Amino acid sequence: DAGVIQSPRHEVTEMGQEVTLRCKPISGHDYLFWYRQTMMRGLELLIYFNNNVPIDDSGMPEDRFSAKMPNASFSTLKIQPSEPRDSAVYFCASSLAGGLRTQYFGPGTRLLVL
Amino acid sequence: KQEVTQIPAALSVPEGENLVLNCSFTDSAIYNLQWFRQDPGKGLTSLLLIQSSQREQTSGRLNASLDKSSGRSTLYIAASQPGDSATYLCAVPSNTGNQFYFGTGTSLTVIP
């Protein structure tokens, strides 16, 4: 398996623009997680899905953030409009059985909002 | 909510030394505990997973221990090498077992 795939790997945009991050989980995994990592706050869980259904989005910072999982092999995280404080590395991870088994992380998307 | 703490935040050792990384958690009712490694600019890679019924788990030069009653885990790295330089994070699942809570990590530098 190719592992968790994320795109783009790097994104530079201007404040106010829409940003869409993409993730392809490992085939057969039923959980998908979106994280954000910054120096100040470490690794934060934003939202997770089970069988394509959003289970807990309490980590999403505000209404500017939204996530979808239209099918088992694809998820998006959208920020609209983007702000400089959204600059971070965004990771997608997938697993079988949530936290009971190991999570496999993608390489991340490094986002810079100017 | 589970809180996970890692001390120290950074550690620098000469090559060949044995070292210990620490992880503490506030809620001892955990299913398991995992240690991850993160290289600069990369995602996290799972190193070891210890089930709640286990006390230790070993993989090569790595040994992880778990003491649920005291809310602590340690990652022991034997004969450290420059290639071990990375950030090490521990994580425990939520009560429902659906998600992980991560520590802030220990940044390890092994000096040749």
Side-chain angles (χ1 to χ4, degrees):
Chain A
D1 200 313
V4 176
I5 299 172
Q6 291 186 248
S7 65
R9 294 293 311 278
H10 303 273
E11 178 82 24
V12 180
T13 190
E14 293 188 346
M15 183 174 63
Q17 296 298 306
E18 178 180 294
V19 175
T20 299
L21 312 181
R22 297 172 176 81
C23 175
K24 176 179 168 58
I26 292 174
S27 176
H29 282 188
D30 57 350
Y31 280 80
L32 184 141
F33 304 82
W34 282 101
Y35 292 92
R36 178 173 67 176
Q37 187 177 42
T38 61
M39 288 293 293
M40 291 296 296
R41 301 175 67 92
L43 197 63
E44 302 174 279
L45 177 66
L46 299 177
I47 184 172
Y48 74 92
F49 296 82
N50 178 217
N51 292 322
N52 311 338
V53 176
I55 303 300
D56 186 349
D57 65 353
S58 59
M60 298 284 260
E62 46 197 278
D63 291 345
R64 299 184 296 106
F65 286 69
S66 63
K68 294 182 179 179
M69 192 166 185
N71 57 63
S73 60
F74 183 67
S75 178
T76 60
L77 178 68
K78 185 176 294 186
I79 308 173
Q80 166 63 18
S82 58
E83 297 182 3
R85 60 191 166 124
D86 301 330
S87 298
V89 182
Y90 291 81
F91 289 104
C92 175
S94 70
S95 76
L96 284 169
L100 299 181
R101 305 248 183 110
T102 194
Q103 290 188 358
Y104 295 84
F105 279 73
T109 295
R110 189 172 297 272
L111 174 65
L112 177 61
V113 183
L114 302 174
Chain B
K1 178 184 171 181
Q2 180 76 265
E3 292 188 8
V4 184
T5 305
Q6 291 186 248
I7 296 173
L11 182 64
S12 183
V13 300
E15 181 177 1
E17 270 202 10
N18 303 325
L19 59 100
V20 174
L21 307 180
N22 297 294
C23 172
S24 60
F25 45 94
T26 53
D27 186 349
S28 62
I30 60 172
Y31 292 101
N32 58 54
L33 183 143
Q34 286 199 41
W35 283 93
F36 289 84
R37 168 182 173 142
Q38 185 176 26
D39 292 290
K42 301 288 181 63
L44 280 68
T45 302
S46 180
L47 296 173
L48 290 164
L49 183 153
I50 313 176
Q51 299 293 349
S52 60
S53 57
Q54 297 177 311
R55 294 294 300 261
E56 286 189 1
Q57 190 69 250
T58 298
S59 176
R61 294 181 295 106
L62 306 180
N63 176 276
S65 67
L66 175 63
D67 184 345
K68 281 182 53 178
S69 60
S70 65
R72 295 176 185 273
S73 175
T74 62
L75 179 66
Y76 175 84
I77 302 178
S80 58
Q81 303 172 358
D84 295 329
S85 298
T87 296
Y88 292 81
L89 298 96
C90 63
V92 294
S94 62
N95 289 340
T96 60
N98 288 340
Q99 59 175 293
F100 280 123
Y101 295 109
F102 283 84
T104 50
T106 294
S107 177
L108 172 66
T109 302
V110 180
I111 304 167

